[in-house]
Amino acid sequence: MKHSRSFVTFALLGTLVSGAALAHGIAPQDASGDSGAPAFSDISKDGKSIKRSDIPKDVDALKELRAHFPEADLNHDGRVDKSEYDAYINKNSQRPQSQQ
C-alpha cells in the first residue's frame, strides 16, 4: 500500500510539472521569437512606429528589413508600425534559408 501512494504522488507531481511546462510553451510569440530580431519596443522611439533610420545598421536580423523597408511599410506612410513589423519579421523568419 505504501508503494501505491508513492506512485500516485509521483504521477500527480509529474502531471503538475508537465502542465506548467506546457503553459510556458503556449505564451504568445513575439516576432523576434525565431528570427533573432529585437522586439519592436526596443527599436521604436515612440512605441507606435519606426522609421528606416531607427533600424540599427549593426543588427544582422534587421539588415533585410532595412534594405526592404518599403516592402514592410504596407500602408506606405513612411513608417512601420508594430503589426507591419511583426508581419515582415514573421514572413522572413518562415522563409527557408538558402543552402550554401
Side-chain angles (χ1 to χ4, degrees):
M1 188 80 159
K2 185 176 183 181
H3 292 289
S4 64
R5 285 186 187 165
S6 296
F7 178 74
V8 171
T9 301
F10 284 119
L12 181 59
L13 183 61
T15 302
L16 291 173
V17 170
S18 65
L22 286 174
H24 287 289
I26 298 175
Q29 193 167 0
D30 193 5
S32 60
D34 296 339
S35 68
F40 178 81
S41 59
D42 292 342
I43 301 170
S44 176
K45 293 178 181 174
D46 63 2
K48 297 177 185 177
S49 62
I50 56 175
K51 298 180 287 185
R52 187 173 182 274
S53 61
D54 294 334
I55 302 170
K57 295 177 184 178
D58 59 344
V59 178
D60 287 340
L62 295 178
K63 286 184 179 180
E64 197 167 329
L65 172 61
R66 191 170 170 75
H68 300 281
F69 192 83
E71 186 180 315
D73 182 14
L74 299 176
N75 63 359
H76 307 291
D77 65 351
R79 297 176 168 271
V80 170
D81 63 25
K82 183 173 180 353
S83 63
E84 292 171 327
Y85 178 81
D86 290 344
Y88 187 83
I89 296 298
N90 286 330
K91 177 183 82 164
N92 286 333
S93 68
Q94 293 173 359
R95 281 187 189 166
Q97 298 295 322
S98 62
Q99 301 209 356
Q100 297 179 353

